[in-house]
Amino acid sequence: MKTQGKTLAKDFTTGNVAKQMFWFMLPFMASNALQVFYSTIDMMVVGKHLQTPGLSAVSQSSQILNFATMVCFGFSNAGQVLVSQALGGGKRKELNRIIGTMFSLIAILSLLLTTVILSFRDQILDAMNMPLESREHANAYLMICGAGLIFTAGYNMVSAVLRGMGDSRRPFLFIGIATVINLVLDILFVPVWGVAGAAWATIIGQGASFLFSLYYLYRRKESFGFDFKPRSFAVNRHYMKMIASLGTPMAIQAGCINISMLFVNSMINSLGVVESATFGAGIRIDDIINKISQGIQFAAVPMISQSIAAGRQKRSVKVVHWAWIYSGIFTVVCMTAYLFFGEALFVAFSEDMAGNTLCKVFISAILWMFPALAVMRGSSAFIQAIGNAKLSMVLALLDGVILRIGLSWLFGIYLGWGFYGFVLGYGLAAYGCAIPGMIYFLSGVWKKRKTLAEEMQ
């Protein structure tokens, strides 16, 4: 894996695919683990001091914030694909305009979403059927973290650019800063200010991480590929259209999944605060596993993008195959760990979970989702890397709206399976993305697509 000149970029168009992916994905997996870890810390510390109502408030409010974050994340991923294809297609001179346009668009979008969250947080909590015991806590958490959304979006934006360049070490460094700060401040703030203290710890940690990343990259702007001059932040119309064309479906994709989570949460919240807290803790555990495995997808995307832009289709196919292999191994390990240690993980969030039979119910239902996750990492990475954002959106609508909401309602309400049915419907929805995505890749119809690098100026 060689460096291109004096840039931070890596050349993934040659070399051993299996070896490159293995060493490239490890920092991504570690970064994602830390990213989930620092938000999980909030729940654990809050659960210890405020028990079930506080745990429910943080877990449910986090779903709302995740929706806003993932919308920004969709546009960041669009910029990542453009960066990778620019490198693979030999158009490195375009990086400055691509990155500058991406920075400005994400900043504007995050501020708009912050305005919406702060203005309508009461209505959003009403729509979620937030339990009364958790309402005040949830309002405070949502207000503080919503105001700091630009820091979360900013970190993800910088990380997306670095991922596109093939750099997995620096995102790990940046998120490590946020994790350490968040851990220390949680211990100091939560006993004094409760849920609001957890929110402040999160935002201060994310803010410090984002500002440090900007300073770090500014000092290395020549190797980064962006000069940080004020005029470079001007939105380039051509790349704005390309980012919007790719990013809008990706944002809708991310948004659909999180909107569906709000609906599922609303149905589960109607069962009571114990069910709400159990589902919130279970989803957090699932999120840890999901995000760590997503590191494999993060590694696969730039490797596929560069290979496609360089005209090396067979190499891109090999990347997908290895993504499936690594994902399959990781999935088997996680399923085994969940079966033997799942209940202990729930108790780690709150001592109230001890003896809670719903923990076993959640585990028995969610395990059906894991094989789909193993398939998704390779095929979803491929669809994203080649720039087929419209297909990603269709699959997201199928997964996030039609199946996730539909199956949860079918099993939980219509068939009367209750909590188990809601969780089972939530898990089985992943096959709506995994199976069609795999069929698309194996069909080979994508070989006729024009590369994004060919559309660049």
Side-chain angles (χ1 to χ4, degrees):
M1 193 165 55
K2 60 184 179 181
T3 304
Q4 296 179 345
K6 295 182 179 180
T7 73
L8 298 178
K10 302 290 190 305
D11 181 6
F12 289 115
T13 60
T14 60
N16 185 289
V17 171
K19 185 177 180 180
Q20 284 182 345
M21 178 175 286
F22 180 78
W23 293 111
F24 189 38
M25 74 184 188
L26 290 182
F28 282 140
M29 297 176 79
S31 297
N32 286 359
L34 285 178
Q35 194 165 16
V36 177
F37 179 61
Y38 77 67
S39 58
T40 302
I41 291 172
D42 290 342
M43 294 183 64
M44 288 184 171
V45 177
V46 168
K48 179 179 180 180
H49 290 277
L50 301 176
Q51 303 302 319
T52 301
L55 182 61
S56 174
V58 174
S59 64
Q60 303 303 308
S61 299
S62 295
Q63 293 300 324
I64 301 169
L65 295 164
N66 284 342
F67 165 72
T69 300
M70 292 306 293
V71 170
C72 295
F73 190 66
F75 286 94
S76 295
N77 279 344
Q80 172 192 339
V81 172
L82 289 183
V83 169
S84 292
Q85 292 224 8
L87 291 171
K91 298 190 176 182
R92 298 180 200 137
K93 293 182 179 180
E94 297 302 312
L95 286 179
N96 201 65
R97 288 194 287 182
I98 293 173
I99 295 173
T101 300
M102 178 182 170
F103 273 26
S104 297
L105 287 178
I106 299 299
I108 294 171
L109 180 60
S110 64
L111 292 175
L112 288 175
L113 289 170
T114 291
T115 302
V116 172
I117 291 174
L118 296 184
S119 301
F120 299 101
R121 64 183 185 279
D122 288 326
Q123 292 86 339
I124 295 172
L125 294 175
D126 287 338
M128 290 184 66
N129 292 322
M130 181 65 64
L132 291 177
E133 303 95 318
S134 306
R135 181 61 181 259
E136 184 178 349
H137 296 310
N139 201 310
Y141 193 87
L142 196 59
M143 181 176 65
I144 296 169
C145 289
L149 180 62
I150 190 170
F151 297 129
T152 308
Y155 162 76
N156 285 323
M157 173 181 61
V158 172
S159 295
V161 174
L162 291 172
R163 287 199 305 271
M165 291 181 168
D167 188 341
S168 58
R169 292 179 299 171
R170 287 167 184 82
F172 176 67
L173 169 65
F174 302 149
I175 197 62
I177 293 171
T179 302
V180 172
I181 293 175
N182 188 61
L183 174 60
V184 173
L185 295 184
D186 261 334
I187 296 172
L188 295 175
F189 289 177
V190 172
V192 180
W193 296 312
V195 169
W200 279 115
T202 297
I203 289 305
I204 293 173
Q206 290 175 343
S209 176
F210 173 54
L211 294 176
F212 178 80
S213 69
L214 284 183
Y215 174 76
Y216 183 94
L217 294 174
Y218 177 78
R219 294 292 301 270
R220 293 159 178 79
K221 54 189 176 184
E222 291 184 6
S223 58
F224 179 49
F226 184 66
D227 59 21
F228 284 93
K229 294 179 180 179
R231 66 173 181 271
S232 296
F233 287 95
V235 174
N236 179 279
R237 290 186 179 183
H238 179 70
Y239 291 119
M240 180 185 69
K241 290 180 181 178
M242 292 188 73
I243 293 175
S245 177
L246 288 172
T248 300
M250 288 183 182
I252 293 175
Q253 173 191 13
C256 284
I257 294 174
N258 280 274
I259 287 175
S260 70
M261 282 297 301
L262 298 181
F263 277 95
V264 175
N265 273 320
S266 178
M267 288 187 280
I268 291 178
N269 287 344
S270 65
L271 299 177
V273 68
V274 176
E275 288 81 358
S276 172
T278 303
F279 185 72
I283 290 302
R284 181 61 63 186
I285 296 169
D286 171 62
D287 195 35
I288 295 172
I289 297 170
N290 192 9
K291 287 290 177 62
I292 294 175
S293 71
Q294 196 176 50
I296 300 172
Q297 182 173 333
F298 282 174
V301 170
M303 294 181 71
I304 296 169
S305 290
Q306 285 192 24
S307 297
I308 286 289
R312 305 200 63 187
Q313 292 183 344
K314 290 184 179 179
R315 182 176 175 83
S316 66
V317 170
K318 188 178 291 187
V319 173
V320 176
H321 290 163
W322 276 104
W324 279 341
I325 292 171
Y326 288 134
S327 296
I329 295 171
F330 181 80
T331 298
V332 171
V333 172
C334 289
M335 290 182 71
T336 304
Y338 220 153
L339 283 171
F340 287 97
F341 306 107
E343 290 182 64
L345 293 174
F346 278 87
V347 176
F349 282 95
S350 173
E351 293 178 359
D352 284 0
M353 295 290 178
N356 183 353
T357 57
L358 288 178
C359 298
K360 293 182 179 179
V361 174
F362 183 95
I363 294 170
S364 65
I366 203 65
L367 284 175
W368 290 100
M369 178 182 67
F370 280 65
L373 291 180
V375 175
M376 287 171 59
R377 291 307 167 220
S379 54
S380 295
F382 184 81
I383 294 170
Q384 179 184 336
I386 65 175
N388 196 340
K390 292 181 180 179
L391 177 58
S392 294
M393 182 177 67
V394 171
L395 296 182
L397 289 171
L398 180 62
D399 171 1
V401 178
I402 298 175
L403 293 180
R404 197 174 299 265
I405 296 175
L407 291 178
S408 294
W409 176 85
L410 174 65
F411 296 140
I413 297 178
Y414 183 77
L415 295 180
W417 293 358
F419 185 76
Y420 176 83
F422 289 134
V423 178
L424 181 64
Y426 163 83
L428 292 181
Y431 289 92
C433 179
I435 295 176
M438 181 176 63
I439 293 173
Y440 173 78
F441 169 73
L442 294 176
S443 71
V445 297
W446 49 269
K447 294 179 181 179
K448 300 178 181 179
R449 287 182 59 87
K450 187 178 181 181
T451 69
L452 296 175
E454 294 177 276
E455 301 178 19
M456 293 180 183
Q457 295 176 343

